[in-house]
């Protein structure tokens, strides 16, 4: 089946360009569009969607709040946020809201297509270099380090190793090689980690590891 995509952007030209590009890619179908976050619920109610490509800066309901609302729905689609600026602190806020990653609007079309497929398959789309820059820009809240370490301390030793791997930006396959286990085993550990920490996706695991100031 094709990955079903909802494109959300307040610029009609950008929205049309993304739709045309994605609709022409193998294994992807743009099933709906929205001009801002306020139009997202109706689009999702009308169309089954696997991935939402979400602009951040939009009128009425911005991409951060829209992402939070999307991820609060039962069985929600994955969300990739879009930004013009690679150092925009709003991207990190969007990731905390439950987005599975972000892309720059000027990314090559092939990278956007690959990102949609990866996110649909459960893999985040994060540039380690840009993500680290974003994380380093955020002032650590008082007590955040202690809270993050306390949360991670509830994991078993193997779950902790998997969480650290996620925090380093490794894929499931790369974590499996490092730990000498199967990819299926890594996925099982990830499921338990998400459940124990009450997190929505692996991106939020990475953020928690970062808050804990772990390597």
């Amino acid at each position: 089946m094709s990955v079903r995509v909802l494109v959300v952007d307040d610029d009609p030209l950008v929205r049309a360009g993304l739709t045309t590009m994605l609709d022409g890619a193998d294994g992807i179908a743009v099933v709906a569009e929205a001009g801002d976050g306020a139009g997202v619920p109706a689009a999702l109610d009308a169309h089954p969607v696997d991935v939402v490509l979400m602009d951040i800066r939009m009128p009425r309901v911005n991409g951060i709040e829209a992402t939070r609302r999307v991820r609060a729905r039962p069985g929600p689609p994955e969300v990739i946020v879009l930004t013009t600026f690679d150092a925009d602190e709003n991207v990190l806020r969007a990731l905390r809201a439950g987005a599975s990653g972000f892309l720059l609007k000027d990314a090559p079309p092939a990278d956007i297509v690959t990102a949609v497929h990866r996110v649909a398959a459960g893999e985040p789309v994060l540039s380690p270099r840009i993500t680290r820059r974003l994380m380093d820009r955020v002032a650590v809240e008082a007590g955040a380090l202690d809270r993050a370490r306390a949360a991670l301390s509830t994991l078993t030793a193997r779950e902790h190793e998997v969480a650290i791997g996620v925090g380093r930006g490794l894929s499931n396959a790369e974590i499996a090689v490092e730990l000498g286990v199967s990819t299926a085993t890594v996925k099982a550990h990830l499921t338990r980690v998400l459940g124990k920490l009450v997190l929505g996706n692996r991106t939020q695991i990475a953020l928690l590891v970062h808050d804990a100031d772990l390597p």
Side-chain angles (χ1 to χ4, degrees):
M1 290 181 60
S2 293
V3 177
R4 299 163 297 191
V5 176
L6 164 62
V7 176
V8 186
D9 198 294
D10 64 320
D11 186 327
L13 292 178
V14 172
R15 197 166 66 244
L18 288 169
T19 297
T20 300
M21 182 266 292
L22 290 172
D23 254 346
D26 288 339
I28 295 178
V30 176
V31 297
E33 300 178 20
D36 66 15
V40 170
L44 293 180
D45 288 342
H47 304 278
V49 171
D50 302 304
V51 176
V52 178
L53 208 54
M54 181 87 73
D55 187 20
I56 288 183
R57 298 185 176 185
M58 297 182 292
R60 297 201 295 171
V61 178
N62 64 38
I64 296 168
E65 179 58 29
T67 295
R68 187 176 293 110
R69 295 178 185 180
V70 167
R71 295 299 298 168
R73 295 171 67 96
E78 302 294 339
V79 178
I80 301 174
V81 295
L82 294 166
T83 182
T84 305
F85 307 103
D86 63 2
D88 190 341
E89 66 276 6
N90 286 332
V91 175
L92 185 55
R93 292 173 57 203
L95 296 179
R96 291 191 184 281
S100 295
F102 69 89
L103 293 171
L104 298 178
K105 286 188 178 180
D106 61 357
D111 289 355
I112 297 177
V113 170
T114 298
V116 169
H117 281 295
R118 283 184 57 189
V119 165
E123 293 284 345
V125 180
L126 296 171
S127 164
R129 175 179 62 84
I130 297 176
T131 301
R132 179 57 55 184
R133 284 172 53 190
L134 288 169
M135 289 177 174
D136 289 343
R137 285 169 57 93
V138 178
V140 177
E141 300 174 6
L145 185 145
D146 289 340
R147 290 196 299 272
R149 290 188 174 180
L152 291 170
S153 71
T154 64
L155 305 178
T156 67
R158 182 62 85 188
E159 290 166 354
H160 193 271
E161 290 173 332
V162 170
I164 295 299
V166 171
R168 289 166 53 203
L170 301 181
S171 67
N172 289 349
E174 290 169 333
I175 295 172
V177 170
E178 281 205 356
L179 300 184
V181 298
S182 68
T183 302
T185 297
V186 171
K187 290 181 178 179
H189 284 308
L190 275 176
T191 298
R192 287 193 289 272
V193 169
L194 291 169
K196 285 185 177 181
L197 301 181
V198 195
L199 297 176
N201 56 42
R202 62 189 293 138
T203 302
Q204 293 176 329
I205 296 175
L207 294 171
L208 188 67
V209 170
H210 176 266
D211 285 347
D213 195 25
L214 296 176

